[in-house]
Coordinates of all heavy atoms in Angstrom, one line a residue:
S180 N 145.8 193.6 25.3 CA 144.7 193.7 24.4 C 144.2 195.1 24.2 O 144.1 195.9 25.2 CB 143.6 192.8 24.9 OG 144.0 191.5 25.0
M181 N 143.8 195.5 23.0 CA 143.3 196.8 22.8 C 141.8 196.9 23.2 O 141.0 196.0 23.2 CB 143.3 197.1 21.3 CG 144.7 197.2 20.7 SD 144.8 197.7 19.0 CE 144.0 199.4 19.1
Q182 N 141.5 198.1 23.7 CA 140.1 198.4 24.2 C 139.2 198.5 23.0 O 139.5 199.1 22.0 CB 140.1 199.7 25.0 CG 138.7 200.1 25.4 CD 138.2 199.3 26.6 OE1 138.8 199.1 27.6 NE2 136.9 198.8 26.4
K183 N 138.0 197.8 23.1 CA 137.0 197.9 22.1 C 136.1 199.0 22.4 O 135.9 199.3 23.6 CB 136.2 196.6 22.0 CG 135.1 196.6 21.0 CD 134.3 195.3 21.1 CE 133.1 195.4 20.1 NZ 132.1 194.3 20.3
N184 N 135.6 199.7 21.4 CA 134.6 200.7 21.6 C 133.4 200.2 22.3 O 132.8 199.1 22.0 CB 134.1 201.3 20.2 CG 135.2 202.1 19.6 OD1 136.1 202.6 20.2 ND2 135.2 202.2 18.2
K185 N 132.9 200.8 23.3 CA 131.8 200.4 24.2 C 130.5 200.7 23.5 O 130.1 201.9 23.6 CB 131.9 201.0 25.6 CG 133.2 200.5 26.3 CD 133.2 201.1 27.7 CE 134.4 200.6 28.5 NZ 134.4 201.1 29.9
S186 N 129.9 199.8 22.9 CA 128.6 200.0 22.3 C 127.4 199.4 23.1 O 126.3 199.7 22.8 CB 128.5 199.3 20.9 OG 128.7 197.9 21.0
G187 N 127.8 198.6 24.1 CA 126.8 198.0 25.0 C 126.2 196.7 24.4 O 125.4 196.0 25.0
V188 N 126.7 196.4 23.2 CA 126.3 195.1 22.5 C 127.5 194.2 22.3 O 128.5 194.6 21.8 CB 125.6 195.4 21.2 CG1 125.2 194.1 20.5 CG2 124.4 196.3 21.4
F189 N 127.3 193.0 22.8 CA 128.4 192.0 22.7 C 128.3 191.3 21.3 O 127.2 191.1 20.8 CB 128.4 191.0 23.8 CG 128.8 191.6 25.1 CD1 127.8 192.0 26.1 CD2 130.1 191.8 25.4 CE1 128.2 192.5 27.3 CE2 130.5 192.4 26.7 CZ 129.5 192.7 27.6
K190 N 129.5 191.0 20.8 CA 129.5 190.3 19.5 C 130.4 189.0 19.6 O 131.2 188.9 20.5 CB 130.0 191.2 18.4 CG 129.1 192.4 18.1 CD 129.7 193.3 17.0 CE 128.8 194.5 16.8 NZ 129.4 195.4 15.7
K191 N 130.2 188.1 18.6 CA 131.1 187.0 18.5 C 132.6 187.4 18.4 O 132.9 188.3 17.7 CB 130.8 186.2 17.3 CG 131.7 185.0 17.0 CD 131.3 184.3 15.7 CE 132.2 183.1 15.4 NZ 131.9 182.4 14.2
G192 N 133.4 186.8 19.3 CA 134.8 187.2 19.3 C 135.2 188.2 20.3 O 136.4 188.5 20.5
D193 N 134.2 188.9 21.0 CA 134.6 189.8 22.0 C 135.2 189.1 23.2 O 134.8 188.0 23.5 CB 133.3 190.5 22.5 CG 132.9 191.6 21.6 OD1 133.6 191.9 20.6 OD2 131.8 192.2 21.8
I194 N 136.2 189.7 23.8 CA 136.9 189.2 25.0 C 136.5 190.0 26.1 O 136.7 191.3 26.1 CB 138.4 189.2 24.8 CG1 138.8 188.4 23.5 CG2 139.1 188.5 26.0 CD1 140.3 188.6 23.2
I195 N 136.0 189.4 27.2 CA 135.6 190.2 28.4 C 136.6 189.9 29.5 O 136.8 188.7 29.8 CB 134.1 189.7 28.8 CG1 133.1 189.9 27.7 CG2 133.7 190.6 30.0 CD1 131.8 189.4 28.0
F196 N 137.1 190.9 30.0 CA 138.1 190.8 31.1 C 137.5 191.3 32.4 O 136.9 192.4 32.5 CB 139.4 191.6 30.8 CG 140.2 191.0 29.7 CD1 140.2 191.6 28.4 CD2 141.0 189.9 29.9 CE1 141.0 191.1 27.4 CE2 141.8 189.4 28.9 CZ 141.8 190.0 27.6
W197 N 137.8 190.6 33.5 CA 137.6 191.0 34.8 C 139.0 191.0 35.5 O 140.0 190.4 34.9 CB 136.7 190.1 35.6 CG 135.3 190.0 35.2 CD1 134.2 190.7 35.7 CD2 134.8 189.2 34.1 NE1 133.1 190.3 35.1 CE2 133.4 189.4 34.1 CE3 135.3 188.3 33.2 CZ2 132.5 188.8 33.1 CZ3 134.5 187.7 32.2 CH2 133.1 188.0 32.2
K198 N 139.2 191.5 36.7 CA 140.4 191.3 37.4 C 140.6 189.8 37.7 O 139.8 189.2 38.4 CB 140.5 192.1 38.7 CG 141.8 192.0 39.5 CD 141.7 192.8 40.7 CE 143.0 192.6 41.5 NZ 143.0 193.4 42.8
G199 N 141.6 189.2 37.1 CA 141.8 187.8 37.3 C 141.0 186.8 36.5 O 141.0 185.6 36.8
H200 N 140.2 187.3 35.6 CA 139.4 186.3 34.8 C 139.1 186.9 33.4 O 139.2 188.1 33.2 CB 138.0 186.1 35.5 CG 137.2 185.1 34.9 ND1 137.6 183.8 34.8 CD2 136.0 185.1 34.3 CE1 136.7 183.0 34.2 NE2 135.7 183.8 33.9
V201 N 138.9 185.9 32.5 CA 138.6 186.3 31.1 C 137.7 185.3 30.5 O 137.7 184.1 30.8 CB 139.9 186.4 30.3 CG1 140.7 185.0 30.3 CG2 139.7 186.8 28.9
A202 N 136.8 185.7 29.5 CA 135.9 184.9 28.8 C 135.8 185.4 27.4 O 136.1 186.6 27.1 CB 134.5 184.9 29.5
V203 N 135.4 184.5 26.5 CA 135.2 184.9 25.1 C 133.8 184.7 24.6 O 133.2 183.6 24.9 CB 136.2 184.0 24.2 CG1 136.0 184.4 22.7 CG2 137.6 184.2 24.6
C204 N 133.2 185.7 24.0 CA 131.8 185.6 23.5 C 131.8 184.7 22.2 O 132.6 184.9 21.3 CB 131.3 187.0 23.2 SG 131.2 188.1 24.6
I205 N 130.8 183.8 22.2 CA 130.6 182.9 21.0 C 129.5 183.5 20.2 O 129.4 183.1 19.0 CB 130.3 181.5 21.4 CG1 129.0 181.4 22.2 CG2 131.5 180.9 22.3 CD1 128.6 179.9 22.5
N206 N 128.7 184.4 20.7 CA 127.7 185.2 19.9 C 127.3 186.3 20.8 O 128.0 186.7 21.8 CB 126.5 184.3 19.5 CG 125.8 183.6 20.7 OD1 125.7 184.1 21.8 ND2 125.5 182.3 20.5
S207 N 126.1 187.0 20.5 CA 125.7 188.2 21.2 C 125.2 187.8 22.6 O 125.0 188.8 23.4 CB 124.7 188.9 20.4 OG 123.5 188.1 20.2
Q208 N 124.9 186.6 22.9 CA 124.3 186.2 24.2 C 125.1 185.2 25.0 O 124.9 185.1 26.2 CB 122.9 185.6 23.9 CG 121.9 186.6 23.3 CD 120.6 185.9 23.1 OE1 120.4 184.7 22.8 NE2 119.5 186.8 23.2
K209 N 126.0 184.5 24.4 CA 126.7 183.4 25.1 C 128.2 183.6 25.1 O 128.8 184.2 24.2 CB 126.4 182.0 24.5 CG 124.9 181.7 24.5 CD 124.4 181.3 25.9 CE 122.9 180.8 25.8 NZ 122.4 180.4 27.1
L210 N 128.9 183.1 26.2 CA 130.3 183.2 26.2 C 130.8 181.8 26.7 O 130.1 181.0 27.2 CB 130.8 184.3 27.2 CG 130.3 184.3 28.7 CD1 130.9 183.2 29.5 CD2 130.6 185.6 29.3
I211 N 132.1 181.6 26.4 CA 132.8 180.4 26.9 C 134.0 180.8 27.7 O 134.7 181.7 27.4 CB 133.2 179.5 25.7 CG1 133.9 178.2 26.1 CG2 134.2 180.3 24.8 CD1 134.1 177.2 25.0
H212 N 134.1 180.0 28.9 CA 135.3 180.3 29.7 C 135.5 179.1 30.7 O 134.7 178.3 30.8 CB 135.0 181.6 30.6 CG 133.8 181.6 31.5 ND1 133.6 182.5 32.5 CD2 132.7 180.8 31.5 CE1 132.5 182.2 33.1 NE2 131.9 181.2 32.5
A213 N 136.8 179.1 31.2 CA 137.1 178.2 32.2 C 136.8 178.8 33.6 O 137.5 179.8 34.0 CB 138.6 177.8 32.2
Y214 N 135.7 178.4 34.2 CA 135.1 179.1 35.3 C 135.3 178.4 36.6 O 134.8 177.3 36.8 CB 133.6 179.3 35.0 CG 132.9 180.3 36.0 CD1 133.6 181.5 36.4 CD2 131.6 180.1 36.4 CE1 132.9 182.4 37.2 CE2 131.0 181.0 37.2 CZ 131.6 182.1 37.6 OH 131.0 183.0 38.5
G215 N 136.1 178.9 37.5 CA 136.5 178.3 38.8 C 135.3 177.8 39.6 O 135.3 176.7 40.0
P216 N 134.3 178.7 39.8 CA 133.1 178.2 40.7 C 132.4 177.0 40.1 O 131.8 176.3 40.9 CB 132.2 179.5 40.7 CG 133.2 180.6 40.5 CD 134.2 180.1 39.6

Side-chain angles (χ1 to χ4, degrees):
S180 301
M181 293 185 64
Q182 175 76 50
K183 179 188 173 185
N184 292 332
K185 295 182 179 180
S186 63
V188 178
F189 291 100
K190 297 180 180 179
K191 177 181 176 181
D193 283 353
I194 306 172
I195 306 175
F196 289 104
W197 296 261
K198 181 180 179 181
H200 189 59
V201 61
V203 179
C204 297
I205 64 174
N206 55 40
S207 62
Q208 296 182 327
K209 302 286 185 178
L210 56 73
I211 183 171
H212 60 164
Y214 192 38

